[in-house]
């Protein structure tokens, strides 16, 4: 049997509502872990996912959007058409 020792060196205290804690308790119980372990796993999963988009991906998105040639007009005409749309009664 492989035993992995993880050193926990910091304590994190958070406040949750009674309803949130009950959801945590039920969910943790369903996976046969403590609430603390369930929260630690959720934190690890969250940290493993990128929380932001890279500069390169943002530039690529702008370039892709610029490649779409859709109808356009000057800003005054666009604002006029938007205002007309508001008054048209359409949802």
């Amino acid at each position: 049997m492989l035993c992995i020792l993880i050193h926990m060196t910091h304590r994190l205290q958070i406040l949750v509502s009674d309803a949130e804690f009950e959801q945590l308790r039920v969910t943790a119980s369903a996976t046969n872990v403590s609430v603390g372990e369930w929260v630690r796993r959720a934190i690890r999963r969250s940290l493993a996912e990128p929380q932001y988009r890279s500069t390169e991906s943002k530039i690529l998105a702008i370039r892709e959007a610029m490649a779409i040639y859709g109808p356009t007009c000057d800003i005054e005409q666009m604002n006029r058409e938007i205002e007309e749309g508001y008054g048209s009664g359409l949802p």
Side-chain angles (χ1 to χ4, degrees):
M1 181 170 160
L2 177 63
C3 218
I4 299 175
L5 179 62
I6 300 174
H7 292 111
M8 300 289 173
T9 59
H10 297 278
R11 180 180 199 87
L12 174 66
Q13 182 174 345
I14 61 169
L15 300 176
V16 296
S17 70
D18 289 341
E20 289 169 328
F21 187 80
E22 182 60 17
Q23 284 182 306
L24 287 169
R25 190 192 63 71
V26 168
T27 303
S29 177
T31 55
N32 296 316
V33 296
S34 68
V35 170
E37 178 58 22
W38 190 92
V39 170
R40 282 189 292 276
R41 290 177 184 182
I43 290 170
R44 288 183 200 118
R45 280 192 306 272
S46 179
L47 292 174
E49 298 172 5
Q51 300 296 315
Y52 60 90
R53 294 180 59 189
S54 69
T55 302
E56 293 80 16
S57 69
K58 291 176 185 178
I59 291 171
L60 179 61
I62 291 169
R63 288 186 176 146
E64 288 173 354
M66 290 173 57
I68 299 170
Y69 296 101
T72 187
C73 59
D74 63 66
I75 189 67
E76 289 81 15
Q77 180 181 348
M78 193 177 299
N79 286 335
R80 233 181 358 265
E81 291 177 5
I82 290 170
E83 289 301 321
E84 289 170 7
Y86 286 145
S88 71
L90 295 175

